[in-house]
Amino acid sequence: MFDTLSDRLTSVLKNLRGKGRLSEADIDATAREIRIALLEADVALPVVRGFISGVKERAKGTEVSQALNPAQQVIKIVNEELVGILGGEKRDLTLAKKPPTVILLAGLQGSGKTTLAGKLAKWLAGQGHTPMLVACDLQRPNAVTQLQVVGERAGSPVFAPEPGNGVGDPVDVARRGVAEAERAQHDVVIVDTAGRLGVDEEMMQQASDIRDAVNPNEILFVVDAMIGQDAVSTAEAFRDGVGFNGVVLTKLDGDARGGAALSVRQVTGEPIMFASNGEKIEDFDVFHPDRMASRILGMGDMLTLIEQAEQAFDADRAEQAAEKLGTGELTLEDFLEQMQAVRRMGPLQNLVGMLPGANQMKDQLANFDEAHLDRVQAIIRGMTPAERADPKIINASRRQRIANGSGVRVSDINDLVSRFFEARKMMQQMAGQFGGGGGGGGRKATKKDKSKKGKKGKNKGPTQSKAARGGMPGGLPGMPGGGQGADPSQLPGGLNQLPPGFDPSKLDFGKKKK
């Protein structure tokens, strides 16, 4: 959704990088380009004016004029102002001191409230809560049935005493739902309310009556991020008619302009708390303003990537794989496990999109074929345990057998095996550079070496601690030193930049199969 805006802002700020000092004309020209980019992205005009005013005021002050790198300082200012528009800091849900905590969802029909209810329940269950869904949308056809299906996928019970389709009193259902949650000892109640195709008095009154009946701890306004400028007027109408203390953005995976996300927080004064970026029940996360601003400016989102990796990778297995990387003992079985863990984190295009500079390789990512990973998985599964453990024994006849069993060509087997050996050698060298066990050119320790343990030799050094052998800062699972639970606050600042000389536009992901 933010691709176009990200491209424009990245292009504008890139023009500043080569300048040793910035004149007032440079700052004015940059501010004008940023204003155009924001307006084209459907950001509300009052928000754009406030943003540009803040950037120009700070850019023309001593903060930039006395900086060693004025261009980087301007980029820093734009980033900070963008974070401010998006809400500054994330806000957590307010939980009731005495359960259950009641969360009321409000919004227009088609904004994704019912699906979001299931996603929120799934997320809360992962946080250790026992949520229950209450079906109070008795107006839209099959809304109750949809919530029951979504609830089943999320693994949460649904309280639906009325069939819906215009039958039943939603206020009474909401009141009885909270009572049922108390009886069944559910600590969170998520109330799904009815919407309309447009703002009207009847909808507002019904939502207000439900609010008064259940006295919710949180009222979340669900807004479709694809509706553009209308999101602001709709949000203002709900704020005045029902009131809400948090915003949830849905359909962030769409290709419409994402100005709504940048406008709602500033116009309503209420924080964006969650974001939904797909149709799957897992496509839901807490909204971090600083991380979203970083992604919009093309600087990636390494913190979210690390958190997703921690959830997908088993810490013990990742530690074992890291040790094998350093000694050159990584097998195809380990490679398969790591690949499966990466795929559990989500589509590879999304993961690479979180890396700094990913917007420079959008064309390559668009052509990437996820089915290639399925073929690699089929090839490895077609091998015997002995072949996975030692790929060197895979001779011509074995390769022919594996190709026939996995439905690929022998050349595909050759490519996989040769690339595996190259990757293993490279990772072993990296482990040595980062202080892992791969130093000394990847040579395995001999008995003679072991007898001299603790002595300093040509390829030896002082005995390292387990943490030092890990190598990679932050303990990213699946990498050398992985699985120890990264502390995002300790992430080095250099991770928001590409390595010197690295040109992501030259990466080759292969062509998508027709």
Side-chain angles (χ1 to χ4, degrees):
M1 175 163 287
F2 293 110
D3 280 354
T4 304
L5 176 61
S6 178
D7 290 345
R8 287 293 303 270
L9 291 180
T10 302
S11 175
V12 170
L13 297 175
K14 186 178 181 180
N15 295 332
L16 296 177
R17 295 183 189 274
K19 299 187 178 181
R21 67 181 292 273
L22 298 179
S23 65
E24 192 166 321
D26 291 330
I27 295 174
D28 289 338
T30 301
R32 182 167 58 253
E33 290 297 323
I34 294 175
R35 180 189 295 112
I36 294 172
L38 293 173
L39 290 174
E40 287 182 349
D42 262 350
V43 180
L45 183 59
V47 178
V48 175
R49 285 174 175 165
F51 178 82
I52 296 299
S53 174
V55 169
K56 290 179 69 173
E57 182 178 348
R58 292 181 59 186
K60 291 181 179 180
T62 57
E63 187 176 352
V64 169
S65 62
Q66 297 181 3
L68 291 176
N69 191 328
Q72 288 288 352
Q73 197 66 24
V74 170
I75 294 172
K76 179 174 178 286
I77 290 172
V78 172
N79 182 55
E80 290 174 353
E81 291 293 324
L82 201 53
V83 171
I85 282 183
L86 291 169
E89 296 181 356
K90 75 178 183 72
R91 182 174 83 77
D92 297 324
L93 284 172
T94 301
L95 301 177
K97 294 180 179 179
K98 179 184 177 183
T101 298
V102 180
I103 301 174
L104 181 68
L105 302 182
L108 294 179
Q109 183 173 314
S111 60
K113 292 190 303 299
T114 304
T115 304
L116 181 83
K119 292 182 177 183
L120 181 58
K122 176 82 172 178
W123 181 82
L124 286 168
Q127 303 294 312
H129 297 283
T130 55
M132 185 182 81
L133 302 171
V134 179
C136 291
D137 184 357
L138 306 180
Q139 191 70 29
R140 180 168 61 88
N142 293 319
V144 174
T145 304
Q146 181 189 355
L147 186 64
Q148 289 171 332
V149 172
V150 170
E152 182 179 354
R153 288 167 55 196
S156 298
V158 178
F159 181 76
E162 300 290 349
N165 299 321
V167 178
D169 179 8
V171 178
D172 180 60
V173 170
R175 191 181 294 112
R176 289 160 57 192
V178 174
E180 173 63 20
E182 291 179 357
R183 187 195 65 78
Q185 296 186 336
H186 293 281
D187 65 343
V188 180
V189 178
I190 302 173
V191 182
D192 179 33
T193 63
R196 297 289 189 278
L197 294 177
V199 178
D200 61 46
E201 288 297 325
E202 183 182 356
M203 175 182 65
M204 291 296 184
Q205 187 59 50
Q206 186 182 101
S208 299
D209 292 342
I210 294 175
R211 177 199 62 197
D212 296 339
V214 299
N215 192 24
N217 303 92
E218 294 278 8
I219 303 177
L220 301 183
F221 172 58
V222 183
V223 58
D224 181 350
M226 297 173 64
I227 64 175
Q229 292 279 1
D230 196 44
V232 174
S233 57
T234 304
E236 289 177 327
F238 270 89
R239 180 193 60 191
D240 299 337
V242 182
F244 57 84
N245 49 16
V247 177
V248 181
L249 292 174
T250 62
K251 306 179 186 177
L252 280 180
D253 57 323
D255 56 3
R257 292 173 288 187
L262 301 177
S263 305
V264 171
R265 162 66 178 85
Q266 194 78 355
V267 171
T268 65
E270 301 298 342
I272 302 172
M273 297 178 61
F274 299 101
S276 171
N277 57 356
E279 296 182 1
K280 295 182 179 178
I281 203 80
E282 300 85 8
D283 295 335
F284 175 84
D285 207 352
V286 176
F287 186 85
H288 295 269
D290 53 339
R291 302 183 190 181
M292 181 60 74
S294 179
R295 292 176 73 172
I296 291 174
L297 293 178
M299 295 188 292
D301 185 1
M302 291 298 296
L303 298 183
T304 298
L305 187 61
I306 289 174
E307 289 175 357
Q308 290 186 6
E310 287 179 334
Q311 294 173 6
F313 284 82
D314 178 81
D316 294 333
R317 301 298 291 270
E319 179 68 22
Q320 294 172 10
E323 292 176 358
K324 288 183 177 181
L325 278 174
T327 58
E329 297 174 356
L330 190 74
T331 67
L332 280 168
E333 186 70 49
D334 301 318
F335 174 72
L336 178 61
E337 289 182 4
Q338 297 292 304
M339 185 178 72
Q340 290 174 331
V342 169
R343 299 195 74 180
R344 286 196 296 271
M345 293 170 61
L348 204 60
Q349 290 96 325
N350 293 354
L351 300 182
V352 178
M354 295 181 190
L355 296 175
N359 56 347
Q360 299 177 39
M361 46 185 174
K362 285 190 300 185
D363 293 338
Q364 292 92 329
L365 287 175
N367 290 327
F368 178 72
D369 184 12
E370 289 263 353
H372 175 68
L373 300 180
D374 294 328
R375 290 191 289 274
V376 171
Q377 187 169 312
I379 292 172
I380 298 176
R381 290 190 183 279
M383 298 177 183
T384 65
E387 291 167 344
R388 297 182 197 178
D390 185 12
K392 291 181 180 179
I393 70 172
I394 305 178
N395 55 25
S397 61
R398 289 175 183 264
R399 295 183 188 216
Q400 185 63 60
R401 190 205 76 239
I402 296 169
N404 293 337
S406 54
V408 298
R409 296 169 297 180
V410 175
S411 59
D412 295 327
I413 312 293
N414 298 337
D415 288 342
L416 173 61
V417 173
S418 61
R419 288 189 180 188
F420 171 74
F421 284 129
E422 290 174 4
R424 186 167 70 175
K425 182 179 179 181
M426 182 186 69
M427 295 303 292
Q428 187 178 356
Q429 292 171 348
M430 286 178 59
Q433 292 172 0
F434 283 109
R443 178 177 57 84
K444 290 188 178 180
T446 64
K447 290 183 178 180
K448 187 175 180 181
D449 293 327
K450 292 177 181 176
S451 67
K452 296 181 180 179
K453 186 175 182 181
K455 297 182 181 180
K456 293 185 179 180
K458 183 177 180 181
N459 289 318
K460 301 290 289 183
T463 303
Q464 296 170 314
S465 65
K466 186 175 182 181
R469 290 197 305 270
M472 289 292 280
L476 178 61
M479 295 295 287
Q484 293 303 307
D487 181 4
S489 65
Q490 301 300 317
L491 191 68
L495 282 181
N496 65 356
Q497 301 175 2
L498 288 171
F502 177 66
D503 185 2
S505 64
K506 296 182 179 179
L507 288 177
D508 182 12
F509 291 94
K511 295 295 183 181
K512 185 178 290 184
K513 298 290 183 182
K514 296 295 183 182

